[in-house]
Structures are given as structure tokens and as C-alpha cells.
Amino acid sequence: MKFTKANHLRGELQIPGDKSISHRAIMLGSLAKGTTEITNFLQGADCLSSMACFQSMGISITRNKDTVLVHGKGLHGLSKPEAMLDVGNSGTTTRLMSGILAAQPFESSLNGDASIQKRPMKRIMEPLSLMGAQIESLAGNGCAPLRIVGKPLKGIHYQSKVASAQVKSCILFAGLYADGETSVTEPYVSRNHSELMLSYFGGTIKTEGTTATVLPEPVLSGQKVSVPGDISSAAYFIAAALLVPGSEVLIKNVGTNPTRDGILRVCKQMGADITLLNTSSTKGEPSADLFVRSSSLHGTVIGGELIPALIDELPIIAILASYAEGETIIKDAQELKVKESNRIDVMVSNLSKMGVDIQATDDGMIIHGGKPLHGAVIDSKSDHRIAMSFAVASLQAEGVTEILGSECVRISYPGFYEDLKKLSQ
Ligand code: S3P
């Protein structure tokens, strides 16, 4: 797909539902007794993978546009899937569901696309094995395909090396079936949607500092889940409005959970004009409308505990930094290397092609921003966040930007290009 410079972005936008919350609503809805009604469910390919996996374990799930009904059968209501579970491109489906599968009274196996087959699963295999699970990487490389033989599990206190909500949630979900308390301590707090939703569905879970602790065998009951707009998707429009002079955009109903709002903090640090309006909170998940005006930005330093709160936004932050005056340093972000693509390499090579002075480091990148960017042919590596980031980069670049593999936005934001076009007219 080809892109050229935009005049300005104006108008109002409703962002699709949060991907992380949509996944969890399918999973906990399946493990709860009774019906869970999910509104503003994200109909992206990743969440549809989670839905299909639980359907093939005997859960009836119906969808009418973005409202989903999950007819849960309780913690012990899943049945053995007949075929290999297909997780598509979704790391969240793979890791969270593995925690659940590890405790089932049946054997299962799961696999996904070429990207999933390269993503590290040892980070969940190790703690699940400590709990007594039998989980094996079929290729012997610590990646999917995985074979999981359900076993009785014991509770553990796990010290995770990475701040990862997928690892934490996997262990906590397995902990629902353990013989005692299970806790996970992380180096920094990662997104806490699993903890909030478990508690809302009737689970017993507490968080102290960077440790989350769950008690086993709760009676979970179906609930109404209203999914806020995904701040990770809103990030592209925040950036577009900031970068293109004369822009004014109102982004409605965006989730602003403090474990996810790092993008807002960094934009403010860089000099952005963003106002939060109509703030509210549902079952512990805050949200707000974001009013964004084009701003002149300056470089900043991003690292430490901020990283998990904006891990998926680092590609679009790199675009902002490329247009900002001065130096931006992104550090402590090694996790970027094991996302849907190696996001350090892919950002550095593609931004270099557009004329940006950027260097890769071991744990991030250093960008000297403020020079004009020009169009180029961008290889998205079929990574949705790379494709959307460069669509935004093109809006202020001279000439034509062509994004290869642009259709991968279906993973998290199927209507992305239409929404971008609507606001740029
Ligand atoms: C997610 C957690 C993050 C994030 C991913 C979604 C989740 O991954 O990058 O897009 O829903 O738990 P990690 O836990 O691997 O950091």
C-alpha cells in the first residue's frame, strides 16, 4: 500500500476495543459459570484466534458485530480439542492459554504462524514445569508448536526475569487450578488486566508492589465486560495528530490503565499537547477521551519501569522521536527483539531508509531527530505495529512511502487505514 503526505488530521474517532482485555474476556468468560457479555470486543485476528481455540474446547461463543456472548462452563468445563489449536499470530493466546491447558485433564497441542514459531516459550515452559506441568516444544527449540499434557499443579512463588504480562497471566491462570497459593514477582509491574478481570469475575487475587498472588479454585461467574478502546491502537492517531501541523483530533473512550499509559507520559515529556476529557472507570479499568493537537516535540530518554507501560508503543514512539528535535534514547527494551518481529532491527533499518539518523543498541535505539524524512519502501515483516507506525511516518515524509505486507493490520486494527483516511480528509 502507498502513502503520501497529509494536510492535517481533523475530527473524532472511536478506537476499536483493547486487544489484551478482549483476549482475557474470552478466556475468563470460558472458565466462568454462566454468560459473559463482551461489548466493544476487538474483532482483530488475534482475539478471533483466542475465540476459536475456546470454541474448539466446547465453549459456545457467539458474535454479533462487536458484541460477544461467551457461555462459560466453569473452571473444569473445557473439553479436549479434536485438532491442534491454532493460535495464528497471537503470543497472548499462546501464553495465556498454555497456563490453562497445563491443568486440564487432557492432552492438547497448539501451533501458529511463522512468527509465533520463533517467539520464546521457555519463559512459560519453565514456571509451568515448576508447577508440575508437562509441556514440550515439539521442535525442541523452546518455541511453538507446543504439546501440553494436563497434570495436577502445585502453587509456586515465581520470580520472573522479564516484566511480561503474558508470563505473569499464564502462571496466574495455571494457579487457578493449583493446590495452593501461586504468586509471580516481576522486575517491574506489567499490565494488570488479568488481575483486575479475575477479581471482577470472583477470583481471589491481590497485588503488592510487583507481586501478584492468586488463590486456587475460585467460583468464577459470567459478567458484563465493556472493553475500552485500545490505547496501543490510539497511539497511532495520537502520533499522527501530533506530527502533522494543523491537526486536532478527539479520540473517544481510550483505556488509560496506568500500567498501559506510558505513551501519554512520554508524549507529555516530549512536549505534546494532549488533554484528557470525560475520564471514567469501569471495574478498575479507567478510560478517557483524548484531545490531541499538533505540537512541536523534543527528544527524551525512555527506560526502566516505563518500558512495560509502553512496550507495544515503542515503534510509534521511534517515529515521533525521528521528527522531534534532538536526541531520544530508548533503553531497557530488549523485549522488542522477541515481539511479532525484531522491532529494534526492523525500526532501525526502515527508519534509516527514510533518512533518519538512528542506531540500534543492545537494549533499544538512539535517534537523532529533526531532519526531514523522505518516502521509502518499508518492509513491515508482517508485523502490524510496524505497518501502522510507518503509515503514520509517511504523513510528514516527502514523496511516496510504500508499505509491504500492509494487510497485517488485521491482527489488531482491521479498519486502521480507513480511519486514517477519514481523519486526513
Ligand atoms: C500483552 C502483553 C505484552 C504485549 C502484548 C500483549 C498481553 O507482551 O506486548 O502485545 O495482553 O498480556 P509481553 O507480556 O510479552 O510483554
Side-chain angles (χ1 to χ4, degrees), residues 267-298:
C267 285
K268 293 249 166 87
Q269 237 165 266
M270 297 176 83
D273 181 353
I274 303 176
T275 313
L276 272 65
L277 304 165
N278 293 325
T279 50
S280 67
S281 181
T282 318
K283 313 298 172 203
E285 293 285 359
S287 59
D289 298 343
L290 308 178
F291 184 58
V292 189
R293 284 204 195 100
S294 49
S295 310
S296 44
L297 303 178
H298 51 81

Side-chain angles (χ1 to χ4, degrees), residues 38-115:
I38 314 169
T39 47
N40 201 31
F41 176 79
L42 171 64
Q43 301 182 61
D46 269 11
C47 299
L48 297 178
S49 294
S50 280
M51 185 188 279
C53 286
F54 281 83
Q55 281 170 324
S56 59
M57 289 190 280
I59 304 297
S60 155
I61 306 177
T62 53
R63 178 162 64 104
N64 183 358
K65 296 202 180 122
D66 58 7
T67 297
V68 169
L69 295 179
V70 184
H71 301 283
K73 292 185 175 172
L75 218 48
H76 299 279
L78 299 179
S79 48
K80 181 177 164 61
E82 277 172 15
M84 190 171 264
L85 294 161
D86 182 3
V87 300
N89 186 247
S90 173
T92 309
T93 309
T94 311
R95 297 198 177 108
L96 272 59
M97 190 170 66
S98 294
I100 297 168
L101 293 174
Q104 301 306 313
F106 52 75
E107 180 182 324
S108 56
S109 40
L110 60 82
N111 200 6
D113 67 9
S115 152

Side-chain angles (χ1 to χ4, degrees), residues 84-156:
M84 190 171 264
L85 294 161
D86 182 3
V87 300
N89 186 247
S90 173
T92 309
T93 309
T94 311
R95 297 198 177 108
L96 272 59
M97 190 170 66
S98 294
I100 297 168
L101 293 174
Q104 301 306 313
F106 52 75
E107 180 182 324
S108 56
S109 40
L110 60 82
N111 200 6
D113 67 9
S115 152
I116 272 293
Q117 291 176 25
K118 285 199 230 141
R119 300 191 60 192
M121 293 300 151
K122 276 199 187 127
R123 53 180 61 198
I124 57 158
M125 291 167 70
E126 182 188 285
L128 289 177
S129 302
L130 290 173
M131 295 177 84
Q134 191 181 328
I135 175 165
E136 181 194 352
S137 155
L138 290 176
N141 59 356
C143 301
L146 301 177
R147 176 171 161 267
I148 303 174
V149 184
K151 295 280 177 195
L153 301 181
K154 42 182 193 289
I156 57 167

